[in-house]
Amino acid sequence: MRPACHLSIFDGSMLPRMASPTSGGEREKLVSKLPASLRQALKVRAAQLSTDVQDAVTDGIQAWRAHSEPLPSVDTAGAESFGTWLPEGLYDLFKQDCAARGVSYIQGLAQAVALWLEQNPADDEAAPTRRIIVCNQKGGVGKTAVTAGLAQALAEAPREPAGKTNGAAAAARAAARQGLRVLMVDYDPQGHLSHQLGLKAIPAGRESLITHMLNREQAQTPLIDLTVGIEEARFGDRLRILPAAFDAFLLDSGLTMFRGPRHAALERALAPLEEHFDVIVIDSPPSLGLAMDAAIYYGRRRDGEKPGSSGLVIPVEAEDTSAQAYGMLINQVVSLTGDYDIEVEQLGLVVNKYDSRRGYIATSSLEKWKSLGSPPVLAVIGDLKEQREAVRLQRALLAYSPESDQAHHMREIARRLT
């Protein structure tokens, strides 16, 4: 027998009122619009608090109805479709209150969600944006591939664990689970990360990350406006990149003449972006100069930050020259931490392009990397073809070949860092 169905009007749309797909009594479907930033914040916060999105919206609307003082208007320009379930009858009361307060249903819903976010902070809300610096002074070890793959894995919506069944409960869990908001920063003047994702480096003389590092007072364009979204469905709207700049070739010399604290120039430039992202992953240049000092300093552990949140991820190869380059990088880190009395964590090593057929040098080098213990080896990635194919097609690896071994290794790294 088909369930009883009543008609309801929401901003002019005829909507069915029926039982909710989850337990908890009769509910009615609410379909409206919500700004993307609020929608994302709602899903992330609900996941953090282990709360269903429908319950969060219900609580928000009830708190909004009980709020006696006028609430600030929310910018709803560009709001997109949003749906959830409300207890039966709450929708009609919400409509009446919107009419009494002289606000549209979309504005009322946005205010209710914003109020719920304000009244329900996450336990770790005060924690700073995580900063992951992918670095090695040696070129060709796969820094760019690891930067891109790790960022994609963090932004990708988590999958249902094996053994979970489909249905209403799975749908409710999926609605509350989202990937992280991730920014990739192409800090390497060679611009390989930008190129691999089909973007050109910002031309010399145009505003870029370098402008904001060296001449922020003269910059006219907010740095967030220079970021570009990665348009792949599996990342939603959560993955962006700040493209490389040709001016980055002159960054070390520019920092030499910089009047401010040179080691903090990158942090000073990226600070305004942190509120927009959960994680910032930086593809570093293959150098040990002042630009690298600034990147290492940016990845330091901040006051109040949990251990293992931010720091260095170091791609290496299973051969001797990679070990020598690693030693040089660590010497730079030790010098910097001593000079500025900071703590910089080595989050882990990624042994990249590994092929046991290369014989004793490869196998013995891998064992040496593993024997370090700290930092741990996060993953051992073979010299496989999918990454090269994705680069040729200028697509994200996890979108081009989501079930490849390389893609699973990137997810493994992300899991071990979260």
Side-chain angles (χ1 to χ4, degrees):
M1 179 179 297
R2 300 176 63 182
C5 181
H6 309 280
L7 291 180
S8 173
I9 300 176
F10 194 96
D11 281 0
S13 300
M14 300 297 289
L15 305 174
R17 179 180 298 166
M18 59 188 74
S20 165
T22 59
S23 60
E26 291 293 308
R27 286 180 177 257
E28 53 189 332
K29 184 71 180 288
L30 177 151
V31 177
S32 181
K33 291 183 176 181
L34 198 63
S37 58
L38 273 182
R39 188 175 67 252
Q40 174 66 11
L42 170 65
K43 291 181 178 179
V44 170
R45 186 69 53 78
Q48 290 172 330
L49 301 178
S50 300
T51 299
D52 284 338
V53 169
Q54 64 178 17
D55 293 333
V57 175
T58 296
D59 291 346
I61 288 177
Q62 290 172 337
W64 178 84
R65 294 188 62 235
H67 204 279
S68 57
E69 299 296 325
L71 288 164
S73 179
V74 176
D75 183 3
T76 59
E80 300 175 357
S81 179
F82 171 80
T84 188
W85 299 83
L86 297 179
E88 191 171 21
L90 180 58
Y91 169 67
D92 290 330
L93 296 173
F94 172 71
K95 283 199 306 180
Q96 295 170 13
D97 286 344
C98 284
R101 299 182 188 189
V103 299
S104 69
Y105 305 149
I106 294 174
Q107 177 64 215
L109 178 62
Q111 290 180 356
V113 170
L115 182 61
W116 183 83
L117 289 168
E118 178 183 339
Q119 294 181 346
N120 294 271
D123 292 338
D124 59 351
E125 188 173 13
T129 295
R130 299 178 61 198
R131 289 116 22 243
I132 298 175
I133 316 302
V134 182
C135 57
N136 191 328
Q137 165 283 308
K138 186 178 185 296
V141 295
K143 292 188 296 294
T144 298
V146 171
T147 298
L150 171 59
Q152 293 163 32
L154 290 167
E156 188 180 48
R159 303 175 175 189
E160 276 295 307
K164 297 290 185 180
T165 57
N166 294 327
R173 283 192 299 271
R177 287 159 53 85
Q178 288 291 319
L180 300 175
R181 301 169 302 161
V182 183
L183 174 67
M184 298 177 285
V185 177
D186 194 346
Y187 192 50
D188 186 346
Q190 298 173 92
H192 293 314
L193 179 61
S194 302
H195 174 73
Q196 289 184 12
L197 294 170
L199 300 170
K200 293 182 178 179
I202 298 173
R206 297 272 297 276
E207 288 194 19
S208 66
L209 172 61
I210 309 308
T211 309
H212 284 257
M213 287 180 68
L214 301 178
N215 300 292
R216 189 176 68 171
E217 293 75 13
Q218 299 177 19
Q220 300 296 315
T221 306
L223 205 52
I224 186 67
D225 292 345
L226 300 180
T227 65
V228 179
I230 305 302
E231 296 183 359
E232 296 281 3
R234 70 187 314 107
F235 309 130
D237 56 359
R238 299 179 295 276
L239 182 61
R240 301 187 70 82
I241 179 173
L242 180 58
F246 283 115
D247 290 349
F249 283 109
L250 304 175
L251 181 55
D252 272 356
S253 60
L255 286 171
T256 301
M257 299 179 287
F258 186 59
R259 294 183 178 181
R262 293 178 299 199
H263 60 282
L266 181 61
E267 179 164 338
R268 180 171 174 261
L270 293 179
L273 297 182
E274 292 186 6
E275 65 177 289
H276 301 283
F277 299 97
D278 302 304
V279 186
I280 295 178
V281 186
I282 295 181
D283 186 20
S284 302
S287 72
L288 298 175
L290 296 175
M292 196 60 224
D293 277 353
I296 294 171
Y297 183 84
Y298 184 56
R300 76 192 185 282
R301 182 179 172 188
R302 293 178 180 173
D303 291 343
E305 191 169 19
K306 296 179 180 178
S309 297
S310 297
L312 312 182
V313 169
I314 307 170
V316 297
E317 291 185 90
E319 45 83 33
D320 293 342
T321 59
S322 193
Q324 295 166 4
Y326 171 73
M328 296 171 67
L329 173 65
I330 298 312
N331 285 339
Q332 181 178 11
V333 171
V334 170
S335 176
L336 200 67
T337 56
D339 288 345
Y340 297 105
D341 191 24
I342 57 175
E343 180 183 356
V344 177
E345 292 188 67
Q346 297 179 56
L347 301 178
L349 306 172
V350 177
V351 182
N352 199 30
K353 298 189 287 187
Y354 178 72
D355 187 347
S356 62
R357 294 174 300 178
R358 292 173 182 164
Y360 175 73
I361 295 295
T363 57
S364 62
S365 294
L366 176 60
E367 290 307 311
K368 287 181 179 179
W369 289 125
K370 290 182 175 179
S371 69
L372 289 177
S374 180
V377 172
L378 300 173
V380 179
I381 303 177
D383 189 8
L384 305 173
K385 64 183 178 65
E386 286 81 9
Q387 174 65 32
R388 293 191 292 274
E389 292 172 349
V391 169
R392 174 67 66 86
L393 296 173
Q394 297 186 320
R395 288 194 65 192
L397 170 67
L398 270 68
Y400 166 70
S401 185
E403 299 305 325
S404 65
D405 286 345
Q406 284 173 313
H408 286 306
H409 281 309
M410 296 303 175
R411 296 186 185 104
E412 177 187 0
I413 297 169
R415 283 193 298 269
R416 296 192 64 180
L417 293 177
T418 53

